[in-house]
Amino acid sequence: MSALQSNRFNSKLTSQCQSCSLSALCLPIALADEDVNRLDQIIERKKPLKKGEVLFHQGEEFSSVYAVRTGTLKTFNITNNGEEQITGFYCPSELVGLSGIDNNIYPISAKALETTSVCEIPFSHLESLSNQIPSLKSQIFKVMSRKICDDQQMMVLLGKKNADEKVASLLMNLSGRFKRRGYSAVSFRLSMSRGEIGNYLGLAVETVSRVMTRFQKNNIIQVNGKEVTIIDLPAMQKLVGIAEDCVRIDTV
Amino acid sequence: MSALQSNRFNSKLTSQCQSCSLSALCLPIALADEDVNRLDQIIERKKPLKKGEVLFHQGEEFSSVYAVRTGTLKTFNITNNGEEQITGFYCPSELVGLSGIDNNIYPISAKALETTSVCEIPFSHLESLSNQIPSLKSQIFKVMSRKICDDQQMMVLLGKKNADEKVASLLMNLSGRFKRRGYSAVSFRLSMSRGEIGNYLGLAVETVSRVMTRFQKNNIIQVNGKEVTIIDLPAMQKLVGIAEDCVRIDTV
DNA sequence: CGATTGCTTGAGTGTCATCAACTAGAGTGG
DNA sequence: CCACTCTAGTTGATGACACTCAAGCAATCG
């Protein structure tokens, strides 16, 4: 809690990272104040992306990872037959672009779903800074490890779940992410279209639509366009599979 | 930690890592000789696992990552309703357990598909060694990044591909991995059962069986139990989607 | 040797994709 | 301000792909 008040001990120069409301969730977590300042210095705040603008393109040379400040991004892969497969949605404080490290090329594109601002973190700088700050290095390991966990959960979803369970899982996942950022866990706005939801979940648009209206008829959720309210939480948890305990799907 | 540094120079003796045939694929890649020796010293060779034995259990405290030396592992997640979802197969030189870093708990179990020997790499040692050897740290970043890429490819497979494409993708992926280790790319032995293939690909056993016999009838592959030979490579590539260029599915 | 396990093959069914029509809302331009 | 277009979303009808159930075969094992 108190960690949320990021500049409680701040003294002299408060870095932007320290005054950022996301610092408790983002990369600076677990860093000493002076280390946050050093991290802060390698970060570039870019001007916000408009809806539909691309942050980086699949195939482009990898240079930076990005932390979302406000708004939402989607990442996607263009498959051989030209269709797009969405691989993730990214909310504020989440890190995009880690998959580019391996081959020094982004294997996916990242596009803004709404007006979105990001912090650019040049990876070469981050890497050398991580030589000097072991806790930063550990933090990067953790972030990457979590991404691997999340992706594995996603595989379970795609491989084993039916349409109802898929949609419920996405909604509950988003709910959890909003909650952790201090927003309502039961009432929120979807920044992605039905088509994007379907693409992401491996479902047709029509199926997504049908599932959501059915959920609504059964008083499980309340839907109004992009506005969603979760009404019957137990029902949702049951659909997701309750035991979400040891696993935290983070980057949907 | 001091133990790490002690034998740094006593290494006219070739380390096991250096004499290991996998060194060009495994973690030591891109390390200087003396660094390989230091890495070598934190590694424990465990006695081989028999088929069906578990390397680590889901929920267990995380301590080490493991490199496969010989044999094959599968990792899997027990879902809420008790069924198992296989999340990956691991061949020699590949690293298992990275997903445990985040929460300090293994979110999956790892089990031997056949007699399998592994190198245990205690993560705390690896992490501190990576403070001293920047290229080792970079290498870990890369390995984790590649895992993220691979998992994303897997999502595409699960979300967009039909049964034929799924099976073809798995076979071609295994083919590539055998090839890189110097084995035949067209003729190899599956160490996993049909059931495990189906589980992994999000298909029923019967479907896997049917697809493979159909492939055989169409002279695309030759199957005899677990022995597989790829006959019509172009057909397979077409099924997979050819443009496997920029993406390398590594850890299936 | 029977028993068990893994794999294959067949028949029937169900879930979800596809195709198509329709509605609502946003943006455009006369 | 009102058609007009365009897109996103919804709903219905139909069908395909893959799952389930069931039976049989082959290989391994106690």
Side-chain angles (χ1 to χ4, degrees):
Chain A
M1 238 349 134
S2 53
L4 280 174
Q5 288 124 26
S6 41
N7 29 9
R8 57 175 170 163
F9 290 133
N10 94 329
S11 25
K12 3 165 198 181
L13 357 102
T14 305
S15 69
Q16 290 195 58
C17 271
Q18 280 175 316
S19 62
C20 175
S21 64
L22 298 169
S23 62
L25 299 167
C26 194
L27 213 45
I29 191 176
L31 293 194
D33 280 1
E34 76 254 31
D35 290 337
V36 176
N37 281 333
R38 293 164 78 189
L39 173 61
D40 191 81
Q41 279 160 30
I42 69 170
I43 293 179
E44 290 175 41
R45 275 84 194 171
K46 317 242 296 187
K47 80 170 208 290
L49 299 165
K50 289 200 194 67
K51 175 174 178 170
E53 282 187 323
V54 171
L55 181 59
F56 54 78
H57 284 92
Q58 178 173 348
E60 222 172 86
E61 190 185 359
F62 169 74
S63 58
S64 302
V65 297
Y66 299 87
V68 178
R69 282 164 66 88
T70 63
T72 323
L73 293 173
K74 68 171 173 183
T75 54
F76 58 96
N77 191 282
I78 302 296
T79 62
N80 327 292
N81 42 23
E83 42 179 357
E84 139 180 352
Q85 164 73 44
I86 297 177
T87 57
F89 298 117
Y90 292 81
C91 297
S93 86
E94 295 171 350
L95 236 49
V96 200
L98 294 168
S99 53
I101 297 171
D102 177 37
N103 276 351
N104 225 41
I105 281 185
Y106 293 108
I108 50 174
S109 302
K111 185 181 272 192
L113 293 180
E114 56 193 326
T115 304
T116 299
S117 61
V118 299
C119 299
E120 175 171 3
I121 311 173
F123 186 70
S124 57
H125 292 174
L126 183 63
E127 199 173 18
S128 51
L129 191 58
S130 77
N131 286 333
Q132 302 159 41
I133 311 177
S135 61
L136 176 60
K137 186 203 56 181
S138 299
Q139 188 57 23
I140 301 172
F141 284 152
K142 269 181 195 272
V143 169
M144 296 184 80
S145 172
R146 179 175 315 168
K147 176 72 178 148
I148 294 172
C149 291
D150 296 341
D151 287 353
Q152 274 165 354
Q153 283 307 110
M154 193 60 197
M155 287 185 211
V156 176
L157 181 147
L158 290 169
K160 290 258 182 298
K161 297 190 178 181
N162 63 26
D164 284 13
E165 294 165 341
K166 284 180 178 179
V167 173
S169 297
L170 176 64
L171 293 178
M172 290 297 283
N173 175 290
L174 292 172
S175 161
R177 286 152 85 180
F178 286 125
K179 185 179 181 184
R180 224 143 20 102
R181 289 180 185 85
Y183 298 108
S184 168
V186 297
S187 197
F188 47 86
R189 197 183 139 277
L190 302 172
S191 44
M192 66 294 287
S193 71
R194 300 288 192 273
E196 286 163 332
I197 292 176
N199 182 305
Y200 178 61
L201 296 177
L203 296 173
V205 201
E206 297 93 327
T207 305
V208 175
S209 183
R210 276 186 255 268
V211 170
M212 292 186 75
T213 50
R214 186 151 33 78
F215 279 2
Q216 169 145 252
K217 271 179 193 143
N218 298 345
N219 282 311
I220 299 178
I221 61 174
Q222 169 82 13
V223 191
N224 187 359
K226 307 222 171 213
E227 298 293 334
V228 175
T229 304
I230 296 173
I231 296 175
D232 189 344
L233 197 59
M236 288 291 277
Q237 289 171 330
K238 194 174 170 196
L239 278 167
V240 172
I242 285 183
E244 207 72 12
D245 34 61
C246 65
V247 265
R248 165 169 30 97
I249 317 184
D250 202 285
T251 305
V252 176
Chain B
M1 192 101 58
S2 52
L4 287 181
Q5 294 158 346
S6 56
N7 326 357
R8 181 167 159 191
F9 293 118
N10 77 345
S11 50
K12 296 166 254 180
L13 325 150
T14 312
S15 70
Q16 291 195 56
C17 271
Q18 280 176 316
S19 62
C20 175
S21 64
L22 298 168
S23 62
L25 298 167
C26 195
L27 213 45
I29 191 176
L31 293 193
D33 279 1
E34 77 249 33
D35 291 336
V36 175
N37 282 333
R38 294 164 78 190
L39 174 61
D40 190 82
Q41 281 160 27
I42 69 169
I43 292 179
E44 291 176 41
R45 275 83 192 170
K46 317 242 298 186
K47 80 171 210 287
L49 299 165
K50 291 201 192 65
K51 175 173 178 173
E53 282 188 322
V54 171
L55 181 59
F56 53 78
H57 284 93
Q58 177 173 347
E60 221 172 85
E61 189 183 0
F62 168 76
S63 58
S64 302
V65 297
Y66 298 86
V68 178
R69 284 163 66 88
T70 62
T72 324
L73 293 173
K74 69 172 174 183
T75 55
F76 58 96
N77 190 283
I78 302 296
T79 62
N80 327 291
N81 42 24
E83 41 180 357
E84 138 179 353
Q85 165 72 44
I86 296 177
T87 57
F89 299 118
Y90 293 80
C91 296
S93 86
E94 296 171 349
L95 236 48
V96 200
L98 295 168
S99 53
I101 298 171
D102 177 36
N103 276 350
N104 224 43
I105 280 185
Y106 293 107
I108 50 176
S109 302
K111 186 182 270 193
L113 293 180
E114 55 192 326
T115 303
T116 299
S117 60
V118 300
C119 298
E120 175 170 5
I121 313 173
F123 186 70
S124 57
H125 292 175
L126 182 63
E127 199 172 19
S128 50
L129 191 58
S130 77
N131 286 334
Q132 303 160 40
I133 311 176
S135 61
L136 176 60
K137 187 203 56 183
S138 300
Q139 187 58 23
I140 301 172
F141 284 152
K142 270 181 194 271
V143 169
M144 296 185 80
S145 172
R146 177 176 315 167
K147 176 72 180 150
I148 294 171
C149 291
D150 296 341
D151 287 352
Q152 275 165 355
Q153 283 308 110
M154 193 61 198
M155 287 186 212
V156 176
L157 180 148
L158 289 169
K160 289 260 181 298
K161 298 189 177 180
N162 63 26
D164 284 14
E165 294 165 342
K166 285 180 177 179
V167 173
S169 297
L170 175 64
L171 293 177
M172 290 298 282
N173 174 293
L174 290 173
S175 161
R177 285 153 85 180
F178 287 125
K179 185 179 182 184
R180 227 149 13 108
R181 288 177 188 88
Y183 298 107
S184 168
V186 297
S187 197
F188 46 87
R189 195 184 140 277
L190 301 172
S191 45
M192 65 293 288
S193 70
R194 301 289 193 272
E196 286 163 332
I197 293 176
N199 181 305
Y200 178 61
L201 296 177
L203 296 173
V205 201
E206 297 94 326
T207 306
V208 175
S209 183
R210 275 185 254 269
V211 170
M212 293 187 76
T213 50
R214 186 151 31 78
F215 280 2
Q216 171 145 252
K217 270 178 192 145
N218 297 345
N219 280 312
I220 299 178
I221 62 175
Q222 169 82 12
V223 193
N224 186 358
K226 308 222 169 209
E227 298 294 334
V228 175
T229 304
I230 297 173
I231 296 174
D232 189 344
L233 197 59
M236 287 291 277
Q237 289 171 330
K238 194 175 171 194
L239 277 167
V240 173
I242 285 182
E244 207 73 8
D245 34 62
C246 65
V247 265
R248 166 169 29 97
I249 319 185
D250 201 285
T251 305
V252 177

Coordinates of all heavy atoms in Angstrom, one line a residue, chain A residues 162-163 203 206-207 210, chain C residues 15-20:
Chain A
N162 N -13.6 -24.4 -23.8 CA -14.6 -24.2 -24.8 C -14.9 -22.7 -24.9 O -14.3 -21.9 -24.1 CB -15.9 -25.0 -24.5 CG -16.5 -24.6 -23.2 OD1 -16.3 -23.5 -22.7 ND2 -17.2 -25.5 -22.6
A163 N -15.8 -22.3 -25.7 CA -16.0 -20.9 -26.0 C -16.4 -20.1 -24.7 O -15.9 -19.1 -24.5 CB -17.1 -20.8 -27.1
L203 N -11.6 -17.8 -31.6 CA -13.1 -18.0 -31.8 C -13.5 -17.0 -32.9 O -12.8 -16.1 -33.2 CB -13.8 -17.6 -30.5 CG -13.6 -18.5 -29.3 CD1 -14.4 -17.8 -28.1 CD2 -14.1 -19.9 -29.5
E206 N -18.7 -14.0 -34.3 CA -20.1 -14.4 -34.0 C -20.2 -15.2 -32.7 O -21.1 -15.0 -31.9 CB -20.7 -15.2 -35.1 CG -20.8 -14.4 -36.4 CD -19.6 -14.7 -37.3 OE1 -18.5 -14.8 -36.7 OE2 -19.7 -14.7 -38.5
T207 N -19.2 -16.0 -32.5 CA -19.3 -16.9 -31.3 C -19.1 -16.0 -30.0 O -19.8 -16.1 -29.0 CB -18.2 -17.9 -31.3 OG1 -18.3 -18.7 -32.5 CG2 -18.2 -18.9 -30.1
R210 N -22.3 -14.2 -29.4 CA -23.3 -15.1 -28.8 C -23.0 -15.4 -27.4 O -23.9 -15.4 -26.5 CB -23.3 -16.4 -29.7 CG -24.2 -16.3 -30.9 CD -24.3 -17.6 -31.6 NE -23.5 -17.7 -32.8 CZ -23.9 -17.4 -34.0 NH1 -25.2 -17.0 -34.1 NH2 -23.1 -17.4 -35.0
Chain C
dT15 P -22.6 -29.2 -27.4 OP1 -22.6 -29.5 -26.0 OP2 -23.8 -28.7 -28.1 O5' -21.3 -28.3 -27.7 C5' -20.0 -28.9 -27.8 C4' -19.2 -28.2 -28.7 O4' -19.5 -28.5 -30.1 C3' -19.3 -26.6 -28.7 O3' -18.0 -26.1 -28.6 C2' -20.1 -26.3 -29.9 C1' -19.6 -27.4 -30.9 N1 -20.6 -27.8 -32.0 C2 -20.1 -28.0 -33.2 O2 -18.9 -27.9 -33.5 N3 -21.0 -28.4 -34.2 C4 -22.4 -28.5 -34.0 O4 -23.1 -28.8 -34.9 C5 -22.8 -28.2 -32.6 C7 -24.3 -28.3 -32.3 C6 -21.9 -27.9 -31.7
dC16 P -17.8 -24.6 -28.2 OP1 -16.6 -24.6 -27.4 OP2 -19.1 -24.0 -27.7 O5' -17.4 -23.9 -29.6 C5' -16.4 -24.5 -30.4 C4' -16.6 -24.1 -31.8 O4' -17.8 -24.7 -32.4 C3' -16.7 -22.6 -32.1 O3' -15.7 -22.3 -33.1 C2' -18.1 -22.5 -32.6 C1' -18.3 -23.8 -33.2 N1 -19.8 -24.2 -33.5 C2 -20.1 -24.8 -34.7 O2 -19.3 -25.0 -35.5 N3 -21.4 -25.2 -34.8 C4 -22.3 -25.0 -33.9 N4 -23.6 -25.3 -34.1 C5 -22.0 -24.3 -32.7 C6 -20.7 -24.0 -32.5
dA17 P -15.4 -20.9 -33.6 OP1 -14.0 -20.6 -33.1 OP2 -16.4 -19.9 -33.2 O5' -15.4 -21.0 -35.1 C5' -14.7 -22.1 -35.7 C4' -15.1 -22.2 -37.2 O4' -16.5 -22.7 -37.3 C3' -15.1 -20.9 -38.0 O3' -14.6 -21.1 -39.3 C2' -16.5 -20.4 -38.0 C1' -17.3 -21.7 -38.0 N9 -18.5 -21.7 -37.2 C8 -18.7 -21.3 -36.0 N7 -20.0 -21.4 -35.5 C5 -20.6 -21.9 -36.6 C6 -22.0 -22.2 -36.9 N6 -22.9 -22.1 -35.9 N1 -22.3 -22.7 -38.1 C2 -21.4 -22.9 -39.0 N3 -20.1 -22.6 -38.9 C4 -19.8 -22.1 -37.7
dT18 P -14.3 -19.8 -40.2 OP1 -13.1 -20.1 -41.0 OP2 -14.5 -18.6 -39.5 O5' -15.6 -19.9 -41.2 C5' -16.0 -21.2 -41.8 C4' -17.3 -21.0 -42.5 O4' -18.4 -21.0 -41.6 C3' -17.4 -19.7 -43.4 O3' -17.8 -20.0 -44.7 C2' -18.5 -18.9 -42.6 C1' -19.3 -20.0 -42.0 N1 -20.1 -19.7 -40.8 C2 -21.4 -20.0 -40.7 O2 -22.0 -20.5 -41.6 N3 -22.0 -19.6 -39.5 C4 -21.4 -19.0 -38.4 O4 -22.0 -18.7 -37.4 C5 -20.0 -18.7 -38.6 C7 -19.3 -18.0 -37.5 C6 -19.4 -19.0 -39.7
dC19 P -17.6 -18.9 -45.8 OP1 -17.1 -19.6 -47.0 OP2 -17.0 -17.7 -45.3 O5' -19.2 -18.5 -46.1 C5' -20.1 -19.6 -46.2 C4' -21.5 -19.0 -46.2 O4' -21.9 -18.9 -44.8 C3' -21.7 -17.7 -46.8 O3' -22.8 -17.7 -47.7 C2' -21.9 -16.7 -45.7 C1' -22.6 -17.6 -44.7 N1 -22.5 -17.2 -43.2 C2 -23.6 -17.3 -42.4 O2 -24.6 -17.8 -42.9 N3 -23.5 -16.9 -41.1 C4 -22.3 -16.4 -40.7 N4 -22.3 -16.1 -39.4 C5 -21.2 -16.3 -41.5 C6 -21.3 -16.7 -42.8
dA20 P -23.2 -16.5 -48.7 OP1 -23.7 -17.1 -49.9 OP2 -22.0 -15.6 -48.7 O5' -24.4 -15.8 -47.9 C5' -25.4 -16.6 -47.3 C4' -26.3 -15.8 -46.5 O4' -25.9 -15.7 -45.1 C3' -26.5 -14.3 -47.0 O3' -27.9 -14.0 -47.1 C2' -25.8 -13.5 -46.0 C1' -26.0 -14.3 -44.7 N9 -25.1 -14.1 -43.6 C8 -23.8 -13.9 -43.7 N7 -23.2 -13.6 -42.5 C5 -24.3 -13.7 -41.6 C6 -24.3 -13.5 -40.3 N6 -23.3 -13.2 -39.5 N1 -25.6 -13.6 -39.7 C2 -26.6 -13.8 -40.5 N3 -26.7 -14.0 -41.8 C4 -25.5 -13.9 -42.3

